[in-house]
Each structure stands twice: as C-alpha cells, then as structure tokens.
Amino acid sequence: MKRTEAELHARGEALFTADYLPEGTLFAAVFASPEAHGEVSHLDTGAARSQAGVVAVLTAKDIPGENQIGNLIQDEPLLATREVHYVGQPIALVVAKSEALARRALAAIHVVIQSRPAVFEPREAFKRGNLIGPVRTFVLGDVDRIWPRCEVMVEGRVDTGAQEHVYMETQNALAIPREDGGLKVFSSTQAPSMGQRLIARVLGCAMHQIEVEVPRLGGAFGGKEEQATPWAALAALAAHRLQKPVKLALRRREDLRMTGKRHPYSSDFKMGLSKEGQILAYEAHYYQNAGATADLSTAVLERSLFHATGSYFIPNVRIQGACCRTNLPSNTACRGFGAPQATFVMEAALFRAAQVLKVDPAALQRKNLLREGDPFPYGMRVENCRAEACWEESVRRYELSALEERIARFNAEHGLEKKGIARLPLCFGISFTSTFLNQASALVHVYTDGSVSVSTGAIEVGQGVKAKIQAVAARTFSIAPERIKVENTTTTRIANASPTAASTAADLNGHATRLACLTIAKRLQETAARLLSCDRPEAIGIIDEMVYLDGVRTDLRWEQLIAQTYLDRIGLSAHAHYATPQIYFDRNQEKGRPFAYHVFGTAIVEVTLDGLRGTYRFDSIKVTHDAGASLHPAIDRGQVEGGAVQGLGWLTLEEILSDDQGRLLTDTLTDYKIPDLYFAPEVHVHFLEQAENPEGLFHSKAIGEPPFLYGIAGYFALLKAMQHFRPEVKMDFAAPLTPEKVLMALYAEA
Ligand code: MOS
C-alpha cells in the first residue's frame, strides 16, 4: 500500500494551514518580551497603531474571556500583563494588512521592563524551591538495605540538552469569523480539541462556537501539542475583535526563539551491582528544566519515572524527579516525552559500571534484560516480554561477533581513526500516562456508491496515520483501500479528541474506526441475509468486496449490497468510541497498570571517529524492532529510520545555546545543526517475527516514539571510540557530544 498522500507531497500539491487564505485576510505578528524575567512598567503601542497598514494592536486588555491558556496547570497567560517570565513571551499582537507591515510595526512598540533575577538551570531553580507540581518518587524494594551488600558501586552526574523539534512547517493558524459570532480556526496542531477548549476560554464563549480544523501538519514531534495553542488563540482573538479573517504564522527564527524544546535534564545516579554484574540497586534524581510554565512538564517527568530502569529488571529502585521552573520558553513534548532522558541516565550508569567491572557494557546490558513477569518500579509486570528475543535476534542477524572482530581489526590497523560500537535495548510503554486521555472516536460514512469516508481525531503530521486508518477500515470491511477516504480532522465531526501524541494515534483512532466499521458491517450482513433468503446473518461474510454465505462465494458485490441497504432505509453511517481497557494509575501509591503494553527492540550503532579533528561519522544503525504484527511495514520502517536518526542528532549534533540573559543564540538552522542525509548512517531495520501483540489493533504495536531511543547507542559508541584513542579519557556524561567536545576531551590535560 502506498502512503495516502505520497503523490500530493511529491508534487507539492498537499495543502497546509498556510495555504488557506480567504480574501480580506489580515496578518498578525507577535511582540514578545526581550527580558527573561521582569516587571512591565510601561507599554506604549500608540506609535505602532498609527503606522500605515496597521489595523490594531491588541494586548491582554482586549481579551474578552480568561487570559489563560494553561492546560494541565493554569499558569500561562496568552498575553503577558504585569510580569514577563522568558525572552519571547508574547506581550502584544500587531494586526496589519500584510505580514511585512505587521512585522515592521513591532519595532514601534515601546516597552519598559524592570529586570529581575532570572534562573536558567534546573538545579538552581530546585534550590530556590521554584517547582511545578510535587516531587515524584517511584520505589521498588529497598535500596538503602541493599547498598551495603553491593560489591560494585558507581555514582555520577548526567546532563542531556534541549532539542528543537524543527518541524518543517512553522507554527501557524488562520481564524475566520462566522455569521453566528463564532469562529472557524485552521490550526497546525496535534490537539484540535484542546485548541477549541482554550480558544473558547479566552473568548469567553461556548466550545460549540469554535470549530478547529486541521488540514495536515508539516511535522510536529510533540512541538504542536500544547504549543500550537498560543498562535491559534491569538489569531482567534484578533479575528473575534476585528471580525475579519486573521492569519498568524511564525517565521523560523521567531519559532525557534518563542517556542519550547525537549526538556534538558540534569540527573544524579547511583548503581550497585554484584561482582558478576547483576544490578542490585539503582537510584536516580532528575532535575527537569521545565521552562517558564507548566505546559506538559509534569507529564513528561512522569514518563521519565516510568522509563527510569530502561529495558532492565532491577529489584531495588528509588527514582525521584522534580519539574524545575526556569526563565526559558516553556519546554514541551518532544518525541519520547521524557523517556529518552531517563533511559540515557540508566545507560550512562551501566556504562560507568562496566568500566569499573572492566567488561563490555553489552555484557551488563544482556545480563540484566527484562524477563517475562518482572515487575517495573510502578507496579506493572512485563507481559509478552521481547527484550531478550530482540537482543538475540540482533546478535544472530547482524552477525555480531564478526562485526566486533572487524571493528577490533580496524582499530588495530588505524592510528588516526577509531571505531566504536554500542547497543541499546529498548523498552517503551504505550498509552498516555494520564489514563483519561486513552480514548478516541471515529465517524464512518458509507456512501451509496460504496465509497467510504472515515473521520477520526488522529492528525496527519507526516507519520502516515491516515494510511494506517485507511488500512484498518479496508481490512475490517474487506474492501479495496482506494474506496476509503480518510478525512481531515475537525472538531465538528470528532469531539473531545485526545491529542495525536504518545504514539497512540493509530492505536486509539484505529480501534475506534474498526468498531464503527463493524457496526455498519453487521447491518450489511442483515441486508445480505435478506437478499440471499438466509435467516442467519452471522453466516454472511464479505471477502474482497464479494459476499460469502457459509464460506461460499455468491454473486453479490459490495456496491450492490450498499445500494440495497440504502433502499431498505438502513443507516450507512456509524460513530464509535474506544477506550483502552484495564489501564489505571494511582498517583498516591505511584503504582498501577499505566500501559496497555510495551514496545521492545535492540539497536547496534557503529561509529568512526577522526582523532585529529574530533569529527565522527555514524556508519550504521542495525535494529531489531518489535512492531507487533505491523499495520503498515513501510510506514513503520520509516518511523524507525527517522526516529533513530533524530535520536542520534539529539545526543551529538544538536546544541541549543542561550546567552546569560536567556536569549537564544542558536536561532537559525545554520547555527543549530540537525541530521541531514549526509549525516544519516545506513539504517537496517528488521521487524521481529512472530511478534503478534495480543493487546494491539490487529495485533500491531505503536511505532512513533520508541525508535527515537535507538540513538542513545550512538552516544556510547562514540565514547567507546574515544576510549580506543585514549583509554583514560575523562567521560562526563554530557550530551550533546559535539565534535568540538570530543576533540577537547581527547586532548584535555589529564
Ligand atoms: Mo508526543 S512527544 O507525545 O506529542
């Protein structure tokens, strides 16, 4: 099956929010705080207002409802009033007849801000008590009782950096007033229902007055979950005040400066092992750099805690995490959602332990892999565990011992270049950790010609969810995929949708689609039974668009069946709702069954390091991935390839730098380097065979976020290569490990 939108994208014909431009549209530009923390003592927009082409300059005073767009925690004004908390915080909105005129007027706004001390580091924020939500602690067994019995102990600190989402399409929205005083809003968002709810809050109107439609997204990666809302709400505010269509689109530099990133974490770990390498106890403290507002930080931290022990069983665990409020743009969801940060800390601890034990880290990884029935610190036990299966399949398929020999030979023969190799066993829990979000609905229409329209809350962000939903409907009806159109998401057709996030969109919305199709299929069986004079509708089947009776093919075809069902005045539409069964989590006990299932896998990364220059090239990533029975292997392969390379980028190339005033320095894509085709290694992807997932849709598994974690192996492969040059090289676990940092470490004084 082809991607549903492949041809449109290849021809450049796919329409995005920015392509919609009704006549008379006005353009908005955002005036943002130049200070990281301070009090606004004076704001003068008069000069900007009187510039040619400017229609209005809006401030918080123009908000008819609540000046509040915080979702989980209500700590985020749409427009700043008295205080500002980060450089880039919106203060005012200029609306003009063109984008250029709107931006030009920004310079005429005069603001005076009394600076206050700002905090940028999470440990500093923690010391001052600047926390969002409670400090969370997950406990298994009793670490304090076990420490004295550990024969090997390691401790250390780990820092991981921010990561920009770099969706190709920057944040943008278009709001159009309607005859009834409501608004239609086109928004580039992963979360149209949340946008609808928050726009209604800002405008002080009922949710039914606001329709949010999402054509498709040019990438999101979590950056358009909460952080699409401000721009949609600002466009909505202006359209509401001026009763004209208003477009707001951030330019790349504005987007880089004003929006949040992956959360940087600073962490401490302590690990105790037996001298045989069994991990007996593990303790970690995460200081999460949340930025200025809560956004999704508490949920991201929670996922870190869930993934603290990676793909390993550890009998005694104590994990603590704090969301630390700083004066940076609020950090937010980013593919992996806290799991990569926690998994990296775990792998760093193991790497350090392997150094002390003088063994290959892979030996420790293998020894401690999760086995069926092992408990996680959050209470759930691992079911259908494939950690060892993926590991062993990798060893076989990628001929690991030959690979290691080849690398050893290379290193013996080369003085200026050294290779390193490392592995990452993956374990990633699937479900929103906020249990209530694990629901979805679908609306399916069959038209009288036999063609089908499917609407769900799943947003096409480029991940191919439409193709998966199409596959689900085609399989359920047993008709050609070409008959099925998957519609854009709009809040009038699908209400109260959860965001397209947590890797769950195809799972949840696919399940709902299947249920809606089954409802219609049941009615079709009844029609067919009548037509075939059979009193047992259950004896009717549809296979490849033909009706079967008791397994025997009849002459009745799909189109005829549909036409007759309509003539019989039977409904050809259905709406269905799905909620993931049997999941819950008790935040008082910090125990429960938060995930429907886990995704497993193993990656092997090989890197070649140039010891004169500190530059490196990732040669290959070899993956064995547990996709269940994949709904769409081509799409899943693409997600593994893209995720793994994005993970490598996070830990190596991608460095976000701010100055001491909290101003972003890496605010162009020439300063901020992301992986490109030249950087990308060969990616080999093998899907584990016979891997049906009993909990999954058609026995499949979610795919979006887990493969990002494979990039973690790249970091440790690089450390290994550095050790081959200089065995005593100082290893402080601080990502990203850019070529500069590699070079400095290789030549640092001992
Ligand atoms: Mo995703 S990082 O859960 O939007």
Side-chain angles (χ1 to χ4, degrees):
M1 280 180 63
K2 241 183 342 198
R3 271 281 295 274
T4 46
E5 308 182 306
E7 286 178 18
L8 286 178
H9 283 307
R11 293 199 196 108
E13 290 170 354
L15 295 179
F16 295 82
T17 295
D19 294 311
Y20 294 84
L21 197 62
E23 221 179 293
T25 296
L26 299 174
F27 298 85
V30 178
F31 178 78
S33 170
E35 295 279 338
H37 191 198
E39 196 160 331
V40 180
S41 58
H42 179 75
L43 177 64
D44 181 2
T45 60
R49 174 67 191 82
S50 57
Q51 283 204 358
V54 172
V55 178
V57 181
L58 304 176
T59 63
K61 289 201 263 319
D62 295 294
I63 294 172
E66 254 183 274
N67 181 17
Q68 181 52 249
I69 55 166
N71 177 36
L72 294 181
I73 295 175
Q74 299 191 10
D75 67 349
E76 186 176 354
L78 176 63
L79 290 167
T81 50
R82 210 168 47 79
E83 269 191 76
V84 287
H85 296 277
Y86 62 94
V87 175
Q89 182 174 357
I91 296 176
L93 190 71
V94 176
V95 188
K97 289 185 172 146
S98 78
E99 260 188 82
L101 291 169
R103 282 210 170 72
R104 201 173 67 187
L106 293 177
I109 294 179
H110 183 58
V111 67
V112 180
I113 296 172
Q114 310 302 320
S115 292
R116 290 211 191 136
V119 178
F120 305 114
E121 295 303 326
R123 287 178 195 256
E124 177 64 21
F126 184 83
K127 260 189 236 143
R128 298 183 186 203
N130 297 350
L131 299 184
I132 300 170
V135 172
R136 302 279 298 272
T137 309
F138 283 19
V139 173
L140 181 68
D142 183 351
V143 286
D144 292 323
R145 201 173 53 81
I146 297 301
W147 295 129
R149 301 189 205 169
C150 295
E151 291 156 312
V152 178
M153 294 273 282
V154 291
E155 288 181 74
R157 172 175 164 156
V158 179
D159 290 276
T160 50
Q163 184 177 32
E164 171 57 42
H165 304 83
V166 203
Y167 26 69
M168 285 195 278
E169 176 203 21
T170 54
Q171 304 276 1
N172 75 109
L174 165 71
I176 306 166
R178 281 197 308 217
E179 58 174 23
D180 59 0
L183 291 175
K184 167 130 186 180
V185 181
F186 288 93
S187 172
S188 177
T189 178
Q190 293 169 251
S193 290
M194 180 172 62
Q196 177 197 22
R197 179 162 54 80
L198 296 175
I199 291 168
R201 190 200 280 167
V202 166
L203 298 185
C205 67
M207 282 173 73
H208 69 221
Q209 289 289 86
I210 307 297
E211 177 184 0
V212 176
E213 177 164 343
V214 186
R216 61 165 60 74
L217 269 55
F221 304 109
K224 294 173 180 170
E225 194 177 337
E226 306 287 302
Q227 301 210 352
T229 304
W231 327 108
L234 287 169
L237 171 66
H240 174 80
R241 299 294 303 194
L242 304 169
Q243 287 300 304
K244 287 271 172 53
V246 176
K247 178 179 284 289
L248 172 53
L250 298 189
R251 291 194 177 166
R252 179 65 65 188
R253 187 173 277 190
E254 292 172 330
D255 192 305
L256 291 170
R257 285 177 179 168
M258 292 181 187
T259 69
K261 329 259 172 251
R262 177 184 301 285
H263 292 82
Y265 275 47
S266 187
S267 308
D268 299 313
F269 68 81
K270 184 168 161 186
M271 180 180 273
L273 306 91
S274 71
K275 61 180 185 307
E276 292 77 32
Q278 202 78 44
I279 309 172
L280 302 175
Y282 178 60
E283 190 169 328
H285 294 257
Y286 307 135
Y287 301 92
Q288 179 203 56
N289 191 335
T293 67
D295 190 274
L296 287 164
S297 297
T298 52
V300 169
L301 181 75
E302 187 173 63
R303 188 167 281 274
S304 300
L305 291 161
F306 284 123
H307 290 78
T309 52
S311 192
Y312 309 109
F313 169 61
I314 306 176
N316 300 282
V317 179
R318 182 166 58 215
I319 310 293
Q320 209 160 67
C323 283
C324 309
R325 200 188 286 277
T326 60
N327 296 105
L328 292 170
S330 191
N331 290 312
T332 193
C334 187
R335 197 177 195 171
F337 206 83
Q341 291 93 322
T343 304
F344 185 79
V345 177
M346 177 72 215
E347 292 296 328
L350 254 182
F351 190 90
R352 175 78 23 102
Q355 278 181 299
V356 173
L357 280 162
K358 298 192 169 43
V359 296
D360 185 348
L364 294 190
Q365 290 174 315
R366 175 69 188 88
K367 195 176 193 73
N368 292 284
L369 281 182
L370 278 165
R371 294 199 184 92
E372 191 67 16
D374 283 341
F376 291 101
Y378 47 89
M380 184 174 178
R381 285 175 184 275
V382 62
E383 292 163 22
N384 302 303
C385 184
R386 294 183 183 135
E388 291 184 317
C390 288
W391 183 276
E392 291 306 327
E393 180 62 24
S394 276
V395 170
R396 263 194 308 276
R397 173 163 296 266
Y398 299 119
E399 299 176 340
L400 206 81
S401 39
L403 185 59
E404 283 173 335
E405 271 170 41
R406 178 168 63 69
I407 287 172
R409 220 169 29 243
F410 180 96
N411 286 339
E413 289 167 2
H414 291 76
L416 299 181
E417 285 187 316
K418 298 287 181 190
K419 280 183 184 286
I421 182 172
R423 295 185 238 182
L424 189 278
L426 167 74
C427 174
F428 196 98
I430 298 299
S431 289
F432 286 98
T433 59
S434 295
T435 301
F436 76 91
L437 288 175
N438 295 286
Q439 57 175 319
S441 59
L443 178 63
V444 175
H445 300 311
V446 182
Y447 294 102
T448 50
D449 65 352
S451 66
V452 177
S453 150
V454 181
S455 300
T456 74
I459 305 293
E460 179 60 54
V461 302
Q463 85 283 46
V465 72
K466 278 191 172 183
K468 284 195 170 180
I469 301 275
Q470 186 191 41
V472 168
R475 260 171 94 157
T476 309
F477 282 135
S478 193
I479 59 175
E482 293 71 34
R483 285 195 189 272
I484 297 156
K485 176 165 182 233
V486 181
E487 307 285 353
N488 294 340
T489 304
T490 176
T491 52
T492 51
R493 250 182 283 120
I494 296 295
N496 313 323
S498 293
T500 287
S503 310
T504 60
D507 261 23
L508 296 174
N509 295 281
H511 268 295
T513 299
R514 179 172 169 271
L515 292 177
C517 292
L518 284 176
T519 302
I520 296 171
K522 191 150 185 293
R523 296 178 203 151
L524 297 179
Q525 280 180 313
E526 284 159 11
T527 306
R530 274 195 302 280
L531 280 175
L532 298 169
S533 312
C534 158
D535 57 4
R536 293 170 296 114
E538 66 279 7
I540 302 289
I542 299 172
I543 302 171
D544 290 341
E545 308 200 344
M546 295 303 297
V547 173
Y548 283 66
L549 176 58
D550 286 321
V552 179
R553 185 177 158 149
T554 69
D555 292 335
L556 190 57
R557 298 149 48 88
W558 171 261
E559 300 96 306
Q560 295 168 301
L561 181 60
I562 297 302
Q564 190 58 48
T565 305
Y566 170 72
L567 292 175
D568 290 349
R569 299 187 298 162
I570 305 288
L572 284 168
S573 297
H575 176 269
H577 178 261
Y578 176 79
T580 311
Q582 292 174 331
I583 50 171
Y584 68 95
F585 193 70
D586 177 346
R587 291 203 173 106
N588 295 315
Q589 307 290 325
E590 302 286 27
K591 300 281 178 197
R593 185 192 157 76
F595 299 121
Y597 57 86
H598 292 83
V599 169
F600 299 93
T602 298
I604 306 165
V605 176
E606 178 184 339
V607 70
T608 307
L609 171 60
D610 177 331
L612 285 182
R613 297 171 183 83
T615 53
Y616 43 80
R617 129 145 236 109
F618 289 101
D619 304 296
S620 65
I621 303 189
K622 294 174 169 147
V623 173
T624 301
H625 186 83
D626 165 27
S630 173
L631 279 179
H632 201 308
I635 281 174
D636 285 355
R637 181 171 300 272
Q639 289 293 307
V640 174
E641 291 174 352
V645 173
Q646 196 177 25
L648 283 180
W650 168 50
L651 293 173
T652 61
L653 287 187
E654 298 182 39
E655 186 169 39
I656 294 200
L657 298 171
S658 301
D659 69 11
D660 60 359
Q661 303 295 305
R663 287 181 291 243
L664 184 68
L665 295 172
T666 47
D667 63 353
T668 69
L669 294 181
T670 45
D671 300 316
Y672 182 70
K673 292 189 71 68
I674 60 168
D676 59 12
L677 275 177
Y678 301 101
F679 171 89
E682 278 177 38
V683 189
H684 305 262
V685 182
H686 172 67
F687 292 120
L688 190 70
E689 278 137 7
Q690 280 144 18
E692 279 71 20
N693 172 23
E695 313 297 329
L697 176 60
F698 293 117
H699 298 152
S700 68
K701 284 196 175 180
I703 192 74
E705 294 170 288
F708 180 91
L709 278 67
Y710 291 141
I712 291 171
Y715 184 96
F716 295 98
L718 202 42
L719 288 191
K720 294 279 285 289
M722 290 164 70
Q723 281 180 323
H724 289 310
F725 277 112
R726 191 174 172 186
E728 78 289 1
V729 66
K730 196 173 160 287
M731 303 278 175
D732 47 354
F733 301 111
L737 192 48
T738 58
E740 284 166 81
K741 288 194 198 155
V742 171
L743 194 70
M744 299 309 275
L746 285 180
Y747 296 97
E749 310 253 331

